[in-house]
Amino acid sequence: MTSTAMPTAGQHGLVAHSDGAFVPVQTRSERFRSVNVEDFAPVSGREHEWKLSPVAAFADLTGGELDGSRLTIETTDVPGISFSYIPRDDARVGTAGTPEERASANAWSTFEEALLVSVTGEDEKIAVVTRTALGDTPRAAHTVIEAAPNSRGFVVLAGTGAARLSENVEILVGAGASLTVVSLQEWDDEAVHLSSQFARLGRDSFLKHIVVSLGGKVVRVNPSTHLAEQGADIEALGLYFADAGQHLEQQVYVHHDAPHTKSRVTYKGALQGAGARTVWIGDVLIGNAAVGTDSYEQNRNLVLTEGTRADSVPNLEIETGDIEGAGHASATGRFDDEQLFYLMARGIREDEARRLVVRGFLTDIVQKIGSADLEARLTAAIEAELEGR
Amino acid sequence: MSVLEIKNLHVNVETEQGTREILRGVDLVINEGEIHAIMGPNGSGKSTLAYTIAGHPKYQVVEGEILLDGENVLEMSVDERARAGVFLAMQYPVEIPGVTVTNFLRTAKTAIDGEAPAIRGWIKDVRESMSNLKMDSAFAERNVNEGFSGGEKKRNEILQLELLKPKFAVLDETDSGLDVDALKIVSEGVNRAHANTGLGVLLITHYTRILRYIKPDFVHVFVAGRIAEQGGAELADRLEEEGYDRYQVAESAAEAVPAE
């Protein structure tokens, strides 16, 4: 049976208007993409992928020259996770995705070598890559995280100190592999970090992808996941806490492109202080081939003070009717004064009561991370945020 | 001996229709160990009295005093009042997602006592109180009030009353929405706290039903923001038979007289 959800040639909006009016791209998978920065027009801020971002704060990253040399990194040494550099023409580069905007293409055009994080072996292990004190030179970077078939691993990509960084991260998850990747942004107050992350999931593989953005002036992490083969499964989690003057953004895209693929996207954020700003855009595309898809995405924001703004935009596109489930949800709410009253009426001081409520709100994300060390570290970091440190 | 005194209390709330005068001069003295029932029709200001004692920011005290052992309660923040020994069992306890009952109880106990309770004794106390209130031990790991039934929420309030050991407890319509079994369990909890700690109780209720299980020393009838009549337990029996009608007749007659 042909699904009625299929686009047809004559469907309104798919053909140009007779007056020649501009027809926007109709499906998420057909956006323009190129690895070459010159193929993109200079960024004005009116483009759909930039319209919610403070583009003037990082014109150097979208339009200027970038330093594409190796970043200073610190890595932890564990058996089964190795680090090396590979040249631009390595066959793995470009297999997980292609830039869809200018900052990403600028980094791609400029990086000299890619950092390869190679995960092998079936035992559980965790490695941390820390990029620290990158200075105020605009930089480009490219990272490939490759999980061999049937391997298991946990990789943390952390950022601290100063940075003006545009990067691309490719995540290749081999058949039957189970990988966790955490992108942890704890940059300095003035740092700008734009990261496009592309994951390609092989047959029956599982990726837990977690974006944690706490520090930085502008942090924009856009993870795209291509569920390319049958049985691929992504759990995409996000946790962010925007203070006064901070812009934290994530544009999440999941492309169901094979039968019986599954996705769960859950992003939660808190906003506190004048000018605290967050953006979440969640695109899910269930393609023609993706029968039996099971998909759910949600975003929740907790507004703690006046003067903040949270944008939350879930989009769901379905090209086949033969799926198990597809849903989305978004809610942005103020801090509930009745919760505060209840806790204080039990003797709990206001600052501690606020901590309890916010920690409670974010806790289901923290608890899903799957590393006790990292969970404890993030709990402490969230408390520090609440105290304005 | 502890005493909670309410003197000439006048309270307003801001509504969309402007300022409304809710309490119009309430006088009440509750000594340690006494049980006072406040009864009255809907809208008479009973809950306002409860929330004003606890310090809810919605209610503005325009005149009068609340004193706990001579200390000015109105100058205390909500948490200070609780630490001073005032407890409010709420009619509609709110959900706190992500915060377990265990974590919440320990945090509150630590705040009230100024130090963390000794682990072993505390766990035993919690278990015992939960079992007395016929609460399944799985409750401890659930998030505060999240997905609780009405009866479970009320039991959870009384659990806190028993564990936090305040000097005075205000029970705001704790009986509403309870079936008779839950009502008995909750009443036994209040009676235990009363017997064990010399708790003073301000029991706010619309119905006389709970007074079969919790015996008041004094009954106050609350109408239109003040106490219209007071007496002993026998007054409750009379209300059971006659209802509030005769007060409301008197009140509407009084309302008809121009205020100025």
Side-chain angles (χ1 to χ4, degrees):
Chain A
M1 195 187 102
T2 307
S3 164
T4 53
M6 295 273 296
T8 57
Q11 184 175 318
H12 178 79
L14 283 181
V15 289
H17 289 242
S18 54
D19 59 1
F22 171 71
V23 179
V25 172
Q26 292 300 309
T27 172
R28 182 63 165 82
S29 62
E30 283 171 16
R31 275 195 195 167
F32 178 75
R33 52 177 63 133
S34 168
V35 296
N36 185 2
V37 62
E38 299 306 329
D39 293 343
F40 292 87
V43 171
S44 68
R46 288 188 299 274
E47 301 84 354
H48 61 86
E49 68 272 28
W50 292 114
K51 68 182 179 189
L52 298 172
S53 312
V55 295
F58 49 82
D60 53 344
L61 296 178
T62 55
E65 262 187 46
L66 305 178
D67 177 347
S69 62
R70 292 182 186 183
L71 303 180
T72 316
I73 59 168
E74 292 162 13
T75 57
T76 51
D77 189 22
V78 289
I81 300 183
S82 65
F83 301 94
S84 58
Y85 283 91
I86 53 174
R88 292 177 58 88
D89 60 0
D90 186 281
R92 287 166 287 206
V93 172
T95 48
T98 307
E100 292 185 350
E101 39 84 346
R102 205 169 201 275
S104 172
N106 200 16
W108 202 297
S109 297
T110 322
F111 80 95
E112 292 170 8
E113 295 163 295
L115 172 68
L116 174 67
V117 181
S118 185
V119 179
T120 53
E122 295 191 24
D123 47 330
E124 300 282 355
K125 60 262 176 194
I126 179 164
V128 181
V129 186
T130 307
R131 292 85 66 86
T132 189
L134 303 180
D136 52 15
T137 308
R139 291 176 187 277
H142 197 105
T143 304
V144 176
I145 300 171
E146 183 182 36
N150 299 314
S151 66
R152 291 173 173 271
F154 195 119
V155 177
V156 182
L157 266 183
T160 62
R164 297 195 72 79
L165 174 64
S166 178
E167 67 165 345
N168 294 289
V169 177
E170 295 189 74
I171 302 166
L172 308 172
V173 190
S178 174
L179 177 70
T180 298
V181 173
V182 180
S183 184
L184 173 58
Q185 288 68 239
E186 293 186 288
W187 304 105
D188 277 359
D189 290 348
E190 292 307 310
V192 176
H193 179 209
L194 308 178
S195 182
S196 290
Q197 309 199 349
F198 307 94
R200 183 189 187 280
L201 273 64
R203 186 176 174 122
D204 297 327
S205 68
F206 172 68
L207 173 66
K208 189 188 283 187
H209 185 274
I210 307 165
V211 177
V212 180
S213 292
L214 301 174
K217 185 171 184 60
V218 179
V219 176
R220 197 175 113 122
V221 178
N222 296 349
S224 299
T225 302
H226 186 197
L227 299 169
E229 295 182 38
Q230 186 166 336
D233 181 356
I234 170 85
E235 178 166 27
L237 302 170
L239 177 72
Y240 47 94
F241 196 122
D243 302 320
Q246 253 187 328
H247 177 100
L248 303 179
E249 176 167 354
Q250 31 266 311
Q251 298 189 10
V252 186
Y253 171 38
V254 176
H255 184 185
H256 288 265
D257 199 18
H260 302 291
T261 51
K262 180 179 172 187
S263 66
R264 289 289 178 273
V265 178
T266 311
Y267 273 63
K268 282 189 160 187
L271 298 89
Q272 169 173 282
R277 176 88 159 85
T278 66
V279 176
W280 179 85
I281 300 174
D283 293 344
V284 172
L285 169 60
I286 300 173
N288 223 334
V291 295
T293 283
D294 178 7
S295 167
Y296 196 84
E297 61 165 349
Q298 60 171 326
N299 175 226
R300 299 262 183 275
N301 295 299
L302 178 62
V303 175
L304 298 173
T305 62
E306 301 283 326
T308 67
R309 174 173 161 179
D311 285 86
S312 180
V313 188
N315 296 307
L316 181 57
E317 254 185 280
I318 307 180
E319 293 178 347
T320 172
D322 183 11
I323 59 170
E324 277 189 23
H328 58 185
S330 162
T332 297
R334 292 170 60 89
F335 186 86
D336 186 344
D337 290 335
E338 293 304 320
Q339 291 180 341
L340 194 63
F341 174 73
Y342 187 75
L343 294 169
M344 289 176 71
R346 299 301 178 251
I348 300 168
R349 288 180 169 79
E350 180 171 355
D351 55 347
E352 194 174 4
R354 281 183 176 274
R355 268 206 299 279
L356 268 180
V357 171
V358 177
R359 200 166 34 174
F361 173 74
L362 297 174
T363 197
D364 60 337
I365 301 288
V366 174
Q367 284 168 358
K368 280 181 192 152
I369 289 176
S371 154
D373 284 355
L374 197 55
E375 288 169 17
R377 186 172 146 194
L378 289 179
T379 300
I382 291 165
E383 311 232 323
E385 291 283 337
L386 276 165
E387 281 157 30
R389 280 191 269 131
Chain B
M1 188 166 113
S2 280
V3 55
L4 182 66
E5 296 168 90
I6 297 164
K7 297 181 179 172
N8 190 31
L9 191 66
H10 290 252
V11 173
N12 289 354
V13 288
E14 295 300 326
T15 69
E16 279 171 17
Q17 289 80 41
T19 305
R20 272 191 61 204
E21 192 185 6
I22 309 278
L23 298 189
R24 307 172 185 186
V26 177
D27 290 287
L28 198 58
V29 178
I30 305 169
N31 290 304
E32 187 178 316
E34 290 177 354
I35 299 179
H36 293 245
I38 298 233
M39 306 194 60
N42 289 329
S44 59
K46 305 187 301 286
S47 283
T48 296
L49 178 63
Y51 278 89
T52 304
I53 294 170
H56 194 287
K58 186 177 153 193
Y59 302 96
Q60 295 147 10
V61 176
V62 287
E63 204 184 326
E65 284 183 310
I66 302 178
L67 303 173
L68 175 61
D69 298 334
E71 299 283 325
N72 186 349
V73 170
L74 296 177
E75 280 180 358
M76 300 179 192
S77 60
V78 175
D79 52 317
E80 284 169 346
R81 295 177 195 207
R83 292 198 298 275
V86 176
F87 181 91
L88 170 63
M90 300 194 199
Q91 188 178 359
Y92 303 109
V94 296
E95 297 180 2
I96 319 276
V99 178
T100 62
V101 169
T102 301
N103 182 13
F104 167 61
L105 289 174
R106 196 179 48 239
T107 306
K109 185 66 176 170
T110 304
I112 298 271
D113 289 1
E115 58 178 5
I119 294 264
R120 204 176 270 176
W122 172 245
I123 291 174
K124 186 174 149 277
D125 288 352
V126 173
R127 247 189 232 138
E128 212 172 281
S129 298
M130 287 181 68
S131 135
N132 284 338
L133 290 164
K134 312 254 183 314
M135 295 170 81
D136 191 283
S137 59
F139 255 91
E141 293 316 310
R142 288 172 66 184
N143 292 330
V144 177
N145 294 321
E146 203 175 60
F148 285 23
S149 70
E152 288 168 343
K153 284 183 182 172
K154 296 298 172 68
R155 277 186 239 190
N156 189 39
E157 293 294 287
I158 302 307
L159 175 67
Q160 295 164 49
L161 169 66
E162 287 204 64
L163 291 168
L164 300 179
K165 301 184 170 40
K167 292 177 182 162
F168 292 95
V170 181
L171 310 179
D172 186 18
E173 304 208 14
T174 296
D175 52 338
S176 66
L178 293 184
D179 61 38
V180 73
D181 292 332
L183 183 63
K184 277 185 196 167
I185 290 166
V186 160
S187 301
E188 284 164 15
V190 175
N191 289 333
R192 260 196 311 277
H194 176 247
N196 293 342
T197 63
L199 178 72
V201 178
L202 189 60
L203 178 69
I204 291 174
T205 181
H206 184 80
Y207 304 103
T208 53
R209 196 169 68 123
I210 194 171
L211 303 182
R212 283 179 229 154
Y213 307 103
I214 302 175
K215 291 292 169 204
D217 301 303
F218 304 93
V219 174
H220 312 267
V221 182
F222 220 66
V223 180
R226 31 173 112 82
I227 292 170
E229 188 174 4
Q230 40 199 341
E234 74 289 346
L235 183 53
D237 298 335
R238 193 170 161 198
L239 282 172
E240 170 119 32
E241 283 160 24
E242 298 177 8
Y244 296 111
D245 288 355
R246 67 192 171 97
Y247 300 106
Q248 276 158 322
V249 169
E251 182 58 31
S252 42
E255 293 260 296
V257 179
E260 286 168 294

